[in-house]
Amino acid sequence: MIWNETKECMSREEMTKLQSKRLVKLVDYVYHNVPFYRKKMQALGIIPADIKGIEDITKLPFTTKDDLRDNYPFGLFARPHSEIVRIHASSGTTGKATVVGYTRYDLEVWAECVARCMTMAGIGRDDIVQVAYGYGLFTGGLGAHSGAEKIGAMVVPMSTGNSKKLTDMMVDFGATAIACTPSYLLHISEVLENGGMLDKIKLKSAICGAEPWTEKMRQEIEGKLNITAHDIYGLSEIMGPGVACDCEYHEGLHVCEDHFYPEIVDSKTLEPVAEGELGELVFTTLTKEGIPLIRYRTKDLTSITRDKCKCGRTSARISRFKGRSDDMLIIRGVNVFPSQVEAALIDVEEVTPHYMMIVDRVNNLDQLEIQVEVDSKYYTDEIKGIEKLNKKIEHVIQQALGIKAKIKIVEPMSLKRSEGKAVHVIDKRKLV
Ligand code: DLL
């Protein structure tokens, strides 16, 4: 099959029928192969025969990250070890890692889903793709790698760790596509710019994900590198990268919903919300063999639409992520997402989109300091008009967040660059 010439074009009715068929099979499968689900269903008084189609999904219990941790490492696996051919794990900053296992079939489905995403990003077999997500237990590297191989592209498995080598090879090999986190791509663009290499690259497309980023940041990256940048989403519990991706219209991410059934629920009541409303994304893996999950709560906040996209694809689309419910900071009673700071700073010409938020509590009052890096074009020993710039950013941030923040302008390239998922927050309130 030639991947860059196919589109997923099932009608909604056909898709619902397929999802129903797969859900019925899945429920029977987990009931008989995963004691955790059997017990959960028994506690709710449900047997597999009660689930007759996708409309019955709300009868089923939710699964959380804690359930994976409580069953660490292999307790939720549905197949014996002899059939599991790969393990990945997400590190997690707290608690035990969550471990996932793939059968050979799971790896095939994964490669196919990533191949679909790459196709959406305009990448095909004539492309040279640098994969600059980390290889290893993190799903980014090997996930993107197998999708790029599936479409027949020439894959350069860079991983992370050496930006100079990456940019040199980008030029020498004539790489036409790159897969990495958006914050890393922003850093790569700086390395290219500082090395005077921007006009030597042949890059045309990037497929970025693994962390929240704003539409403005996407456009900023496109402008800096003269490419199209696409948003790819996924999580290790469900599969890895390739669960969803945006097409050339960038109006939401198309979900591979024949394999991963999406729901959006209110994270407090756990009731489904209406189409177009913001809520927590929940996934049921419709075809996974190794570690099938039912109604897995991702904690990612988004909305969904099932309207046909301008590109012709009929698959459900989720909106760009606002962040995770557990990334949300409550500062002086106001809900704040780091992505709001990113969006606000992109409008300020004199600074870069690199920032660090430091939250502390002084005399029982929350304090927010935002360190912002001045753009090298505007940097002098004593940045000219620093007070004026400070005031300007203070104002922009207050407008965006609804609270005041202390702004600290720092020198170009002084904030730490990340090669994987960027860290934008230090919450000292949690450290005491
Ligand atoms: O980050 C898988 C991945 C790798 C996705 C490469 C895309 C590209 P985890 O380490 O398990 O897996 O982290 C999953 O990262 O629940 C989201 O909170 C966040 N995330 C992933 N992609 C996006 C995205 C990988 N495009 C967690 N936008 C998810 C916003 C994202 N957040």
Side-chain angles (χ1 to χ4, degrees):
M1 184 173 294
I2 300 166
W3 284 96
N4 56 5
E5 287 173 10
T6 59
K7 280 186 178 177
E8 299 305 304
C9 285
M10 253 184 213
S11 71
R12 289 269 19 120
E13 292 72 33
E14 283 168 331
M15 181 60 80
T16 308
K17 229 167 131 186
L18 179 69
Q19 289 169 331
S20 288
K21 194 171 124 200
R22 288 183 167 175
L23 181 71
V24 168
K25 207 167 150 194
L26 168 79
V27 171
D28 190 67
Y29 178 67
V30 296
Y31 191 85
H32 291 104
N33 292 286
V34 188
F36 166 83
Y37 279 122
R38 186 162 54 247
K39 277 190 213 130
K40 269 204 162 190
M41 284 170 65
Q42 281 167 345
L44 292 170
I46 309 170
I47 55 163
D50 294 330
I51 306 300
K52 297 189 172 64
I54 207 76
E55 65 284 0
D56 290 326
I57 198 163
T58 51
K59 293 181 183 160
L60 293 166
F62 287 97
T63 310
T64 64
K65 205 177 188 78
D66 281 342
D67 292 327
L68 274 107
R69 289 202 173 116
D70 294 346
N71 290 282
Y72 175 87
F74 306 141
L76 295 188
F77 285 16
R79 305 307 313 152
H81 294 179
S82 56
E83 290 180 38
I84 302 290
V85 296
R86 170 100 67 81
I87 292 289
H88 281 283
S90 87
S91 55
T93 41
T94 52
K96 285 224 186 274
T98 47
V99 181
V100 285
Y102 302 75
T103 63
R104 201 168 294 283
Y105 171 76
D106 292 333
L107 290 184
E108 276 167 24
V109 171
W110 189 8
E112 168 171 325
C113 291
V114 177
R116 287 184 197 172
C117 297
M118 298 230 163
T119 305
M120 273 186 250
I123 304 169
R125 58 182 167 176
D126 294 331
D127 282 298
I128 300 176
V129 184
Q130 282 186 305
V131 176
Y133 289 114
Y135 280 63
L137 287 172
F138 175 54
T139 52
L142 283 163
H145 184 114
S146 46
E149 266 186 6
K150 180 104 188 166
I151 54 173
M154 187 196 287
V155 188
V156 189
M158 295 301 312
S159 195
T160 53
N162 194 335
S163 311
K164 172 81 176 73
K165 193 162 159 192
L166 187 150
T167 49
D168 284 349
M169 285 187 171
M170 186 182 276
V171 173
D172 297 345
F173 296 179
T176 52
I178 187 161
C180 63
T181 60
S183 49
Y184 190 33
L185 190 52
L186 194 66
H187 177 50
I188 290 168
S189 72
E190 289 171 337
V191 177
L192 287 166
E193 192 174 3
N194 295 341
M197 296 154 88
L198 268 179
D199 57 353
K200 297 196 178 75
I201 57 169
K202 296 218 171 78
L203 210 61
K204 63 177 177 89
S205 181
I207 188 153
C208 300
E211 62 185 10
W213 54 317
T214 57
E215 175 58 20
K216 284 182 182 169
M217 169 78 104
R218 198 187 63 72
Q219 289 170 4
E220 168 108 359
I221 288 176
E222 286 191 334
K224 271 183 186 285
L225 291 169
N226 193 20
I227 58 168
T228 59
H230 293 260
D231 191 6
I232 184 168
Y233 168 80
L235 61 167
S236 37
E237 293 85 340
I238 296 303
M239 182 180 74
V243 173
C245 187
D246 66 356
C247 66
E248 65 269 35
Y249 290 96
H250 309 290
E251 290 181 1
L253 288 77
H254 291 270
V255 180
C256 292
E257 58 169 326
D258 48 339
H259 295 290
F260 313 108
Y261 183 76
E263 295 174 84
I264 310 283
V265 302
D266 179 311
S267 43
K268 290 208 177 80
T269 64
L270 300 184
E271 290 298 323
V273 303
E275 256 191 52
E277 255 179 53
L278 192 72
E280 179 177 338
L281 181 60
V282 169
F283 273 116
T284 298
T285 63
L286 294 174
T287 54
K288 243 171 112 176
E289 292 182 342
I291 175 166
L293 294 180
I294 289 191
R295 306 191 82 199
Y296 182 72
R297 292 186 55 189
T298 65
K299 302 224 168 161
D300 293 319
L301 301 174
T302 183
S303 60
I304 198 162
T305 173
R306 290 186 170 81
D307 292 346
K308 189 172 170 181
C309 179
K310 287 181 195 142
C311 71
R313 290 180 182 83
T314 50
S315 44
R317 278 172 292 149
I318 45 178
S319 61
R320 178 175 284 282
F321 291 91
K322 187 162 183 187
R324 295 173 58 80
S325 55
D326 46 10
D327 276 352
M328 188 182 80
L329 296 157
I330 303 180
I331 304 174
R332 277 172 255 144
V334 177
N335 298 349
V336 173
F337 284 95
S339 57
Q340 292 172 288
V341 173
E342 179 183 299
L345 290 179
I346 281 185
D347 285 337
V348 183
E349 203 191 317
E350 298 90 333
V351 298
T352 68
H354 297 285
Y355 66 94
M356 181 60 94
M357 300 167 69
I358 297 155
V359 195
D360 205 353
R361 185 163 288 147
V362 181
N363 298 330
N364 284 327
L365 203 69
D366 293 335
Q367 308 273 350
L368 169 64
E369 175 181 297
I370 306 179
Q371 299 183 353
V372 188
E373 225 182 67
V374 66
D375 192 291
S376 52
K377 286 201 286 285
Y378 294 90
Y379 181 68
T380 48
D381 275 353
E382 264 179 60
I383 308 157
K384 262 192 231 145
I386 190 164
E387 262 175 42
K388 218 167 135 201
L389 181 56
N390 230 307
K391 285 240 149 40
K392 179 173 170 182
I393 301 174
E394 243 178 58
H395 177 73
V396 167
I397 292 291
Q398 178 145 23
Q399 294 283 309
L401 309 185
I403 53 166
K404 255 193 147 159
K406 182 178 162 214
I407 306 298
K408 187 172 173 195
I409 295 174
V410 298
E411 288 178 23
M413 300 300 283
S414 60
L415 293 178
K416 194 170 177 289
R417 301 298 191 255
S418 91
E419 296 180 341
K421 295 174 191 268
V423 178
H424 289 300
V425 179
I426 299 174
D427 194 343
K428 293 187 175 166
R429 299 172 302 182
K430 288 190 181 154
L431 305 176
V432 286

